[in-house]
Amino acid sequence: RAAHRSRKDDRWGALPPNGESYIMLAERVARWLEALSEPTVAVCHGGVIRIFRAMVEGDHPSLFDGPPTQEKIYVIENGTGRWV
């Protein structure tokens, strides 16, 4: 399918039908993070986990190696991230 090939070619900028690109999602997540004023627990889907990791760890190909880990907790604290 064209949409699948497009996302494979441009993981961050591809716009799926009736959806949002990772760039758009990152902008939405960044606005939400900026609005936080206290420690927060977020339960989210794999796309948001990828965005959190990219914000903390930088963009690297392993972000898209298979489904994101969802059986662990990703803690962001003082600008660093770690799995627990």
Side-chain angles (χ1 to χ4, degrees):
R1 252 176 79 159
H4 180 71
R5 279 192 306 277
S6 175
R7 177 156 271 188
K8 194 170 186 174
D9 292 341
D10 180 9
R11 293 284 192 177
W12 292 103
L15 184 61
N18 301 311
E20 65 184 340
S21 68
Y22 276 109
I23 291 170
M24 295 164 70
L25 178 59
E27 291 169 353
R28 194 161 49 91
V29 168
R31 287 191 307 270
W32 177 75
L33 286 172
E34 289 171 6
L36 296 178
S37 60
E38 57 189 48
T40 302
V41 173
V43 178
C44 54
H45 63 75
V48 175
I49 293 170
R50 285 188 172 114
I51 297 300
F52 285 151
R53 289 187 60 210
M55 289 175 162
V56 173
E57 301 172 25
D59 175 18
H60 49 83
S62 69
L63 289 174
F64 296 102
D65 287 348
T69 300
Q70 295 186 46
E71 73 276 1
K72 295 182 181 179
I73 297 170
Y74 190 68
V75 177
I76 301 172
E77 190 172 38
N78 300 320
T80 61
R82 61 186 164 83
W83 290 103
V84 293

